[in-house]
Amino acid sequence: MSAREEILANIRRSLGVTGAEAPRRMAVDDRLAQARSGIIPQRGQGDQAARVATFKDEAERAQASVVEVETAADAPGEIARFLRDSNLPATLRMGDDPRLAAMPWSATALDTAHGASDGHDLNAVSAAFAAIAESGTLALVSGPDNPTTLNFLPDNHFVVVAASDIVGDYESVWRKLRGGYGKGAMPRTVNFITGPSRSADIEQTLLLGAHGPRRLHIVIVKGA
Amino acid sequence: MTETPTSSHFKENAHAALHDAPLQKALQHVRVNFIDKRAKAVARLPEFEALRDSARDIKDHTLANLDLYIEAYEARVVAAGGHVHYAMTAKDGVDIVLKLCHERGAKAVTKGKSMIAEEMGLNAALEAAGIDPIETDLGEYIIQLRGEAPSHIIAPAVHLNKEQVEADFRRVHRDLPSDRDLSQPVQLLTEARGILRDKFLSADIGVTGANFLIAETGTSIIVTNEGNGDLTQILPKVHIVLASLEKIVPTLEDASQLLRVLARSATGQDMSVYTTLSTGPRRPGDPDGPEEYHVILIDNGRSSMLGGDFEDMLRCIRCGACMNHCPIYHAVGGHAYGSVYPGPMGAVLTPSLIGVEEGGQLPNASTFCGRCEAVCPVRIPLPNMMRHWREREFERHLSPKAMRYGIGFWAFFAKRPTLYRLSTNVAMRALHWLGRAKGRFASLPFAGGWTRYRDLPAPQGATFQSQWRAKSGSVH
């Protein structure tokens, strides 16, 4: 008997079932197929303007900084400004996401690089799949154009998100993922990010920048 | 286990902990911070109590159908290109990890924080096999340097003060200038970040735990604040996920319900900084991520807990709220429990894992104040379950003789009301007469445990029952 069979047999013995009961199978299949929502907090709900306002408040509570710009073309200038004001080098790594590729980076003094990080980059920018008003959380997905290393290795992480992609709750992100990848399938990595990296492991003192980014700067693009 | 459990010496451990000045200083942070932060987060979310019900119901449903959800989960992991391994015992789990390491010639393994890895004693096993295990969570890194076990399930180094951490860093990080300033926590964090960054980039295999496994999609979820779990799983060529059976939940929607109560109960955050969903290995065209993705599903006693007195314990999502609110934990810290899991959840789970003979003292480490159950996000009836264990300990004649005879003596009278009233009346009058001078006793036979620390007030003369009768009589 394999360990798998032994464990399943032990579970069934403890539960007093055989695994062949049709009603149990139906209940499980139905739950997996329907994926019904449970309780969704009111906090993140409302029209787009309300969601953007709540997202901003919640992200700032989690020590992220948030700025709104009018169009996608304004994002590179905002990132260049942040780096300048923070006395940080004007370097920036990014993936090949078409939303970022369409932005006028050459109009700034930023020295851009492309692809995954090897741990030697100070700054990186990502494009968000969605953002969640409820808790000020960004949702980033991996793929050929979106390296996951950019979300964790650089000291300063910039994330550009369209106001129209700011949803109320996690459940809306799952629906959007199912729309894009199919029911039951997922991107390899989905990163929910709420504020910059932190630790309180030494005397419960909250410190930012434990292993991941020390700063998280979110640029909301109001127009499409 | 990382170390041999010392749960059977809880009394001695607790006594030592109460007289450990640095420990008592460190524990002050637990008493204040965790409770206050959780209360504020809960107050901000009107739906919190309803979410607790929802979280409990999801776990109960999953446990009742665990065999079917495991099958569904496995099919999805395989469809995404991952591998699922099964381990009946902690040792079987260790053997699978070692085999994966050996086959790939691994020399260094980075680790995200994982309680099941503690349960398995994975670090000791890796070291014995000539493989370097590197804990990457800041708290876990600190206690690994000290050769200690975690004293808390989400804040493993909560028993330490910054001066102790500084001394350890100076002892181990010999290549750094000896005159560097390490007096502030931020300096300690920065030093650890620098040292661990190189380890992340050079590790052969990354091992993480899992907060949840999603049957619908074959996804594993880890929840962290530091980002160490992510660097552990995206940089090495192989990602190994360790998870006990009860981590499975049906759908992404179900996971959302649990995520909404997890961080609030644990650290008082609405969401932890990083909630990461991983499904299978790197895809074609992906610029980064692990080439192999393995999940080891570990039973180690769980399947036997189903359907029994302790099934509810399998709802636990390891938030730590029960220990954060426990007066016993506040007084003695986590190490006194002598097991991987401390606090109320540890007092219930440990006897299930290591047997009531070894762990039977832990369910007695409770005042039955009920705060643990009041804050548990999945509403585990922890005090009730501790009571179950006490009964089993008593039935199996494992409790101390003095206690057994004492209870037997009391029970003899309690079952004979007339005799009980007569004897207590006599005893109370006698004690009242003996203590009439001072109104209290500084010492008394059979009550040394009490009078060593404070006086015992002398009875007023009449028993409660006789006073009650007198009072009722005067009213009617």
Side-chain angles (χ1 to χ4, degrees):
Chain A
M1 204 190 222
S2 70
R4 179 184 187 277
E5 288 164 16
E6 199 180 341
I7 288 171
L8 288 174
N10 217 10
I11 291 172
R12 286 175 175 141
R13 193 164 42 245
S14 293
L15 292 174
V17 299
T18 65
E21 299 88 349
R24 286 179 76 235
R25 290 241 169 230
M26 278 172 62
V28 166
D29 290 346
D30 174 70
R31 189 165 184 125
L32 292 174
Q34 299 299 321
R36 290 182 191 85
S37 294
I39 289 153
I40 296 177
Q42 270 302 309
R43 188 197 289 171
Q45 307 301 304
D47 61 13
Q48 186 177 308
R51 292 198 301 272
V52 169
T54 306
F55 171 78
K56 199 164 176 278
D57 285 352
E58 295 297 326
E60 284 169 353
R61 278 179 65 89
Q63 283 87 27
S65 51
V66 187
V67 160
E68 291 181 68
V69 297
E70 291 302 323
T71 70
D74 299 325
E78 166 54 26
I79 293 169
R81 178 204 65 77
F82 182 94
L83 290 173
R84 203 168 47 239
D85 290 358
S86 311
N87 285 322
L88 290 163
T91 59
L92 191 65
R93 181 169 284 278
M94 66 183 82
D96 299 321
D97 190 285
R99 291 166 293 179
L100 295 177
M103 292 175 189
W105 300 100
S106 54
T108 66
L110 292 171
D111 180 9
T112 59
H114 291 261
S117 176
D118 64 359
H120 295 93
D121 304 287
L122 212 48
N123 313 313
V125 61
S126 308
F129 177 77
I132 303 141
E134 179 183 341
S135 51
T137 300
L138 296 161
L140 279 62
V141 300
S142 68
D145 298 333
N146 288 290
T148 304
T149 38
L150 299 190
N151 306 341
F152 296 98
L153 284 171
D155 271 21
N156 307 292
H157 190 208
F158 298 90
V159 179
V160 182
V161 59
S164 56
D165 285 334
I166 299 181
V167 298
D169 43 65
Y170 315 123
E171 285 79 354
S172 300
V173 178
W174 311 141
R175 275 193 295 277
K176 198 176 167 190
L177 281 168
R178 287 184 190 118
Y181 294 82
K183 173 79 171 78
M186 288 281 275
R188 183 186 57 78
T189 307
V190 179
N191 290 122
F192 275 12
I193 300 177
T194 313
S197 161
R198 70 199 59 194
S199 175
D201 273 345
I202 300 172
E203 295 193 347
Q204 297 280 296
T205 309
L206 182 71
L207 301 167
L208 298 184
H211 290 293
R214 299 169 202 266
R215 295 185 190 84
L216 175 66
H217 188 60
I218 303 169
V219 182
I220 300 173
V221 177
K222 290 203 245 180
Chain B
M1 303 273 160
T2 314
E3 289 160 30
T4 315
T6 62
S7 307
S8 57
H9 303 293
F10 177 76
K11 260 183 111 163
E12 295 81 355
N13 294 349
H15 188 78
L18 287 168
H19 293 87
D20 182 336
L23 173 67
Q24 290 300 323
K25 182 166 172 259
L27 285 172
Q28 286 170 12
H29 301 296
V30 181
R31 288 171 206 143
V32 183
N33 286 346
F34 280 121
I35 293 177
D36 189 45
K37 285 181 191 163
R38 177 194 173 275
K40 283 182 178 150
V42 168
R44 278 189 79 221
L45 191 74
E47 295 89 351
F48 189 78
E49 291 305 313
L51 281 162
R52 287 175 69 193
D53 291 338
S54 180
R56 174 199 59 206
D57 296 347
I58 288 164
K59 281 288 189 176
D60 281 345
H61 166 81
T62 315
L63 291 171
N65 298 286
L66 192 60
D67 52 331
L68 303 179
Y69 281 118
I70 287 174
E71 289 177 349
Y73 167 76
E74 179 195 61
R76 280 297 176 182
V77 175
V78 172
H83 304 273
V84 182
H85 310 261
Y86 291 85
M88 195 70 205
T89 64
K91 175 164 184 316
D92 295 347
V94 168
D95 290 343
I96 295 167
V97 176
L98 290 177
K99 186 162 179 283
L100 290 170
C101 289
H102 286 316
E103 284 169 358
R104 284 149 192 82
K107 294 271 176 287
V109 172
T110 42
K111 285 183 65 217
K113 204 181 118 41
S114 158
M115 290 311 297
I116 190 73
E118 296 289 337
E119 209 179 305
M120 293 160 67
L122 184 60
N123 286 357
L126 286 169
E127 278 169 16
I131 300 162
D132 186 15
I134 303 142
E135 292 289 353
T136 61
D137 171 89
L138 179 60
E140 290 282 348
Y141 176 71
I142 292 167
I143 59 167
Q144 188 183 23
L145 295 184
R146 299 172 63 86
E148 289 181 338
S151 68
H152 189 289
I153 62 171
I154 67 157
V158 77
H159 59 288
L160 297 173
N161 298 292
K162 64 177 193 284
E163 293 76 16
Q164 293 166 293
V165 180
E166 177 181 352
D168 289 317
F169 279 20
R170 289 194 188 283
R171 175 173 58 80
V172 178
H173 302 159
R174 290 293 183 105
D175 296 342
L176 297 170
S178 57
D179 59 349
R180 68 195 189 279
D181 186 3
L182 286 177
S183 58
Q184 296 305 314
V186 67
Q187 293 156 334
L188 297 165
L189 172 78
T190 306
E191 182 162 314
R193 177 183 167 112
I195 282 172
L196 285 166
R197 186 52 76 92
D198 296 335
K199 310 256 187 194
F200 281 125
L201 293 164
S202 59
D204 304 300
I205 292 182
V207 175
T208 69
N211 290 86
F212 307 106
L213 304 173
I214 317 272
E216 177 196 2
T217 55
T219 299
S220 56
I221 298 188
I222 59 167
V223 176
T224 74
N225 274 322
E226 298 183 7
N228 64 305
D230 289 278
L231 293 174
T232 297
Q233 68 178 38
I234 56 177
L235 294 172
K237 286 192 167 158
V238 182
H239 176 200
I240 300 176
V241 180
L242 306 175
S244 47
L245 303 178
E246 79 279 13
K247 297 288 173 187
I248 293 195
V249 295
T251 63
L252 292 165
E253 275 70 8
D254 292 323
S256 324
Q257 298 291 292
L258 293 157
L259 284 168
R260 286 189 176 106
V261 294
L262 175 60
R264 289 183 172 95
S265 301
T267 54
Q269 291 166 283
D270 290 352
M271 273 288 260
S272 298
V273 177
Y274 302 113
T275 299
T276 299
L277 294 83
S278 304
T279 313
R282 182 192 288 220
R283 309 271 167 89
D286 277 357
D288 50 23
E291 288 161 19
E292 292 181 54
Y293 176 83
H294 297 266
V295 181
I296 306 179
L297 282 179
I298 299 143
D299 185 326
N300 204 32
R302 271 72 172 179
S303 60
S304 303
M305 287 167 70
L306 287 166
D309 285 344
F310 301 100
E311 178 180 295
D312 289 347
M313 193 59 224
L314 295 175
R315 292 204 297 264
C316 178
I317 55 173
R318 306 287 191 267
C319 69
C322 59
M323 56 198 77
N324 293 342
H325 290 76
C326 176
I328 307 292
Y329 184 93
H330 290 169
V332 300
H335 283 160
Y337 291 80
S339 60
V340 171
Y341 302 100
M345 61 76 60
V348 172
L349 186 57
T350 303
S352 288
L353 298 180
I354 66 173
V356 68
E357 293 81 4
E358 274 293 313
Q361 279 206 31
L362 300 187
N364 294 304
S366 166
T367 63
F368 282 150
C369 69
R371 278 164 87 180
C372 50
E373 185 176 359
V375 297
C376 176
V378 286
R379 301 195 190 281
I380 299 171
L382 290 158
N384 249 337
M385 294 165 92
M386 284 187 245
R387 214 170 275 129
H388 280 314
W389 277 127
R390 289 189 189 190
E391 282 164 15
R392 289 195 188 186
E393 189 194 20
F394 192 82
E395 282 162 12
R396 296 177 64 171
H397 299 258
L398 294 169
S399 32
K401 272 194 179 139
M403 179 179 147
R404 302 185 57 78
Y405 290 142
I407 291 175
F409 184 73
W410 177 82
F412 176 84
F413 287 94
K415 283 187 263 184
R416 294 164 177 82
T418 314
L419 191 59
Y420 184 90
R421 275 196 296 274
L422 183 70
S423 52
T424 47
N425 255 316
V426 172
M428 289 311 115
R429 279 171 205 278
L431 284 173
H432 171 66
W433 185 79
L434 285 169
R436 68 192 182 286
K438 285 196 210 154
R440 64 176 78 93
F441 297 97
S443 70
L444 203 67
F446 305 115
W450 175 286
T451 54
R452 195 175 313 145
Y453 301 103
R454 59 259 197 243
D455 291 347
L456 183 77
Q460 294 171 315
T463 65
F464 173 78
Q465 288 191 357
S466 58
Q467 288 186 58
W468 182 260
R469 256 199 315 278
K471 204 163 185 185
S472 308
S474 68
V475 173
H476 294 296

